[in-house]
Protein backbone atom coordinates (compact mmCIF):
# COMPACT_ATOMS: atom_id res chain seq x y z
CA UNK A 1 0.00 0.00 0.00
CA UNK A 2 1.92 3.07 -1.20
CA UNK A 3 2.08 6.06 1.11
CA UNK A 4 1.93 9.60 -0.19
CA UNK A 5 3.91 12.39 1.48
CA UNK A 6 1.97 14.92 3.58
CA UNK A 7 0.52 17.85 1.71
CA UNK A 8 2.27 21.19 2.05
CA UNK A 9 -0.10 23.94 3.15
CA UNK A 10 1.05 27.57 3.25
CA UNK A 11 -1.71 29.06 5.41
CA UNK A 12 -1.48 32.81 4.68
CA UNK A 13 -0.70 32.38 0.98
CA UNK A 14 -3.66 30.00 0.57
CA UNK A 15 -6.11 32.24 2.41
CA UNK A 16 -5.04 35.33 0.48
CA UNK A 17 -5.40 33.56 -2.87
CA UNK A 18 -8.74 32.02 -1.81
CA UNK A 19 -10.08 35.28 -0.35
CA UNK A 20 -10.71 33.67 3.06
CA UNK A 21 -10.96 36.24 5.86
CA UNK A 22 -13.03 34.32 8.39
CA UNK A 23 -10.91 31.88 10.38
CA UNK A 24 -13.94 29.77 11.28
CA UNK A 25 -14.33 28.85 7.61
CA UNK A 26 -11.77 26.14 8.39
CA UNK A 27 -11.27 26.48 12.16
CA UNK A 28 -14.77 25.39 13.08
CA UNK A 29 -16.32 24.51 16.44
CA UNK A 30 -18.99 21.86 16.97
CA UNK A 31 -21.04 21.32 20.12
CA UNK A 32 -23.31 18.30 20.47
CA UNK A 33 -22.91 17.64 16.74
CA UNK A 34 -24.02 21.13 15.73
CA UNK A 35 -21.79 23.72 14.04
CA UNK A 36 -21.51 26.89 16.11
CA UNK A 37 -21.63 29.57 13.41
CA UNK A 38 -19.74 32.39 15.13
CA UNK A 39 -17.17 30.32 17.03
CA UNK A 40 -13.58 29.75 15.89
CA UNK A 41 -10.90 27.27 16.92
CA UNK A 42 -8.06 29.28 15.32
CA UNK A 43 -6.00 29.09 18.51
CA UNK A 44 -5.97 25.28 18.33
CA UNK A 45 -4.37 22.65 16.14
CA UNK A 46 -6.67 20.38 14.13
CA UNK A 47 -5.20 17.48 16.11
CA UNK A 48 -6.44 19.03 19.36
CA UNK A 49 -9.92 17.81 18.41
CA UNK A 50 -9.33 15.26 15.62
CA UNK A 51 -7.44 12.11 16.59
CA UNK A 52 -5.63 9.80 14.17
CA UNK A 53 -8.41 7.22 14.37
CA UNK A 54 -11.37 9.55 14.96
CA UNK A 55 -14.13 9.19 17.50
CA UNK A 56 -17.79 8.39 17.23
CA UNK A 57 -19.38 11.27 15.34
CA UNK A 58 -16.00 12.94 14.75
CA UNK A 59 -13.83 12.24 11.72
CA UNK A 60 -10.20 11.20 11.97
CA UNK A 61 -7.56 13.85 11.36
CA UNK A 62 -6.96 12.67 7.79
CA UNK A 63 -10.71 12.48 7.03
CA UNK A 64 -11.20 15.95 8.51
CA UNK A 65 -8.52 17.41 6.24
CA UNK A 66 -9.88 15.63 3.19
CA UNK A 67 -13.50 16.55 3.91
CA UNK A 68 -12.77 20.18 4.77
CA UNK A 69 -10.06 21.01 2.23
CA UNK A 70 -11.09 18.86 -0.71
CA UNK A 71 -14.76 19.51 0.01
CA UNK A 72 -14.20 23.27 -0.21
CA UNK A 73 -12.18 22.89 -3.41
CA UNK A 74 -15.01 20.88 -4.96
CA UNK A 75 -17.67 23.30 -3.72
CA UNK A 76 -15.76 26.33 -5.05
CA UNK A 77 -14.63 24.46 -8.19
CA UNK A 78 -11.13 25.79 -7.48
CA UNK A 79 -8.01 24.21 -6.07
CA UNK A 80 -6.59 20.70 -6.20
CA UNK A 81 -8.80 17.66 -5.68
CA UNK A 82 -6.63 14.79 -6.95
CA UNK A 83 -4.28 13.04 -4.51
CA UNK A 84 -1.05 13.91 -6.35
CA UNK A 85 -2.00 17.58 -6.59
CA UNK A 86 -1.68 18.05 -2.79
CA UNK A 87 0.56 15.14 -1.88
CA UNK A 88 3.54 15.98 -4.08
CA UNK A 89 6.66 13.80 -3.94
Amino acid sequence: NPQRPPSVFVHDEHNEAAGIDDCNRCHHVYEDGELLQDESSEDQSCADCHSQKGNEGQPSLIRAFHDNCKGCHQEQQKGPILCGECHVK
Side-chain angles (χ1 to χ4, degrees):
N1 188 10
Q3 292 285 318
R4 292 187 178 270
S7 63
V8 175
F9 180 71
V10 183
H11 186 271
D12 293 337
E13 187 177 301
H14 170 270
N15 291 351
E16 188 174 318
I20 297 173
D21 293 323
D22 296 325
C23 296
N24 64 356
R25 173 67 181 95
C26 299
H27 295 277
H28 52 247
V29 177
Y30 282 82
E31 190 172 280
D32 298 325
E34 297 292 320
L35 177 64
L36 302 180
Q37 291 292 337
D38 297 323
E39 295 292 321
S40 173
S41 62
E42 70 216 57
D43 59 339
Q44 296 176 284
S45 163
C46 300
D48 288 347
C49 295
H50 295 276
S51 67
Q52 290 294 329
K53 295 203 183 293
N55 301 319
E56 188 175 320
Q58 185 180 63
S60 69
L61 185 61
I62 290 171
R63 175 58 37 216
F65 279 125
H66 285 154
D67 288 351
N68 203 27
C69 303
K70 187 176 167 183
C72 184
H73 290 173
Q74 289 173 317
E75 177 185 299
Q76 298 296 317
Q77 297 184 344
K78 295 179 182 171
I81 57 170
L82 299 176
C83 302
E85 293 176 312
C86 291
H87 301 275
V88 179
K89 290 182 179 177

